[in-house]
Amino acid sequence: MSGQGKDKSSRALIARPGYEIGYGKPPAATRFKPGQSGNPRGRPIGAKNKRPALNEERMKAIILDEAYRTITVRDGDRNVTIPMAQAIMRSLAVNAAKGQHRAQRLFSELLASTENANRALHDQWLDTAMTYKIEWDKELDRRARLGIIDLPDPLPHSDHVIIDIREGTAHIRGPATREEKAEWDMWTARKVDFEAELEDLREMLEAEANPKTRQTLEDDIAQTNRVIDIIDRVLGGKPFKG
């Protein structure tokens, strides 16, 4: 039906005897159509009281979203943007410093709880590292006694697990994964090459009499030493402290 036909039909319906138009009785042309929402931009059908699935933890996600949502707060004479959780803890600490007893008690409890949790993680890491090193040292000694040479070394190697009993720390100074081991082997091979090059440069310097050539060789030696120093730092590994 064309638009003209619809208009004629609507006018005919409105003009029909006995059809009233008023409050709660709009013209037929403006009434909601069956199956058509009167608020197409509103909440989708089925969204009301929708419960999370059994495997969802929606409240935790909401809490975390709010905790790390950034807000702008006043810090002295300037505005800073920080996470909501940090702003709350800062407010709590400031109130505690002002002498509010409830804030002091809560802040002390939170601080003690955090430090105890960190201490427990530290002790667990130190115990794990010590056990790992002791057990692998035993295994590697066993292999050496029996002449077993075809088994791969552990990653990380027990020699690279550094335990400091006095400081109560443990860290890894060397490769801990296959990818790191491949990079470690590559840099170890490069270091051997640069050390051989350094030895050649020193021999050439001893036999060279020309001042300009000697200066060039000395610059090359200095540069090669710098490269070897960088490689040594790479092979030193990034410490993973507990």
Side-chain angles (χ1 to χ4, degrees):
M1 183 182 293
S2 66
Q4 244 180 358
K6 288 183 179 179
D7 292 341
K8 291 179 180 179
S9 175
S10 300
R11 285 196 296 271
L13 179 60
I14 293 172
R16 194 171 58 217
Y19 183 85
E20 297 180 3
I21 298 175
Y23 180 77
K25 295 182 177 181
T30 61
R31 290 184 179 184
F32 295 147
K33 307 297 188 298
Q36 177 180 335
S37 172
N39 183 18
R41 296 185 179 182
R43 183 170 55 189
I45 297 175
K48 184 178 180 180
N49 299 328
K50 184 178 180 181
R51 296 182 180 180
L54 293 178
N55 64 326
E56 293 180 336
E57 293 184 330
R58 189 172 301 171
M59 182 56 70
K60 287 184 179 180
I62 293 173
I63 291 172
L64 290 174
D65 287 342
E66 288 300 311
Y68 295 103
R69 177 171 61 86
T70 56
I71 62 171
T72 301
V73 298
R74 196 70 179 170
D75 184 17
D77 58 350
R78 62 194 181 97
N79 291 329
V80 295
T81 301
I82 59 176
M84 178 72 74
Q86 184 177 351
I88 293 172
M89 289 305 302
R90 180 173 295 185
S91 176
L92 179 62
V94 169
N95 289 334
K98 289 180 179 179
Q100 295 184 15
H101 296 301
R102 291 182 61 184
Q104 289 175 342
R105 182 172 64 254
L106 179 56
F107 187 79
S108 297
E109 291 173 353
L110 289 172
L111 179 60
S113 175
T114 302
E115 290 184 339
N116 288 337
N118 284 343
R119 181 65 188 181
L121 288 174
H122 167 270
D123 292 344
Q124 181 180 4
W125 160 247
L126 183 60
D127 180 68
T128 300
M130 292 179 66
T131 301
Y132 180 91
K133 183 176 180 65
I134 291 171
E135 294 301 321
W136 269 111
D137 280 344
K138 291 180 180 178
E139 171 61 16
L140 294 176
D141 287 342
R142 184 190 71 84
R143 294 181 186 180
R145 288 195 310 270
L146 299 177
I148 301 174
I149 60 174
D150 57 346
L151 293 179
D153 289 336
L155 282 174
H157 197 285
S158 59
D159 290 344
H160 297 156
V161 179
I162 311 302
I163 308 292
D164 190 330
I165 299 299
R166 294 179 180 177
E167 294 293 330
T169 60
H171 64 270
I172 300 172
R173 185 178 296 157
T177 65
R178 292 181 179 179
E179 293 77 13
E180 290 179 358
K181 180 64 166 57
E183 186 177 1
W184 175 280
D185 291 342
M186 182 270 290
W187 283 113
T188 300
R190 293 289 300 276
K191 180 182 178 182
V192 172
D193 293 338
F194 279 110
E195 287 175 337
E197 180 180 345
L198 182 62
E199 187 63 27
D200 291 340
L201 289 171
R202 286 172 175 168
E203 291 179 0
M204 293 170 61
L205 180 63
E206 291 180 1
E208 183 60 51
N210 186 288
K212 290 185 178 180
T213 304
R214 286 183 61 85
Q215 183 60 53
T216 301
L217 290 172
E218 289 174 354
D219 291 343
D220 289 345
I221 289 173
Q223 177 62 26
T224 304
N225 274 321
R226 284 193 291 269
V227 172
I228 292 175
D229 182 63
I230 293 173
I231 294 176
D232 282 338
R233 289 201 296 270
V234 171
L235 294 179
K238 296 179 180 179
F240 297 87
K241 295 185 177 180

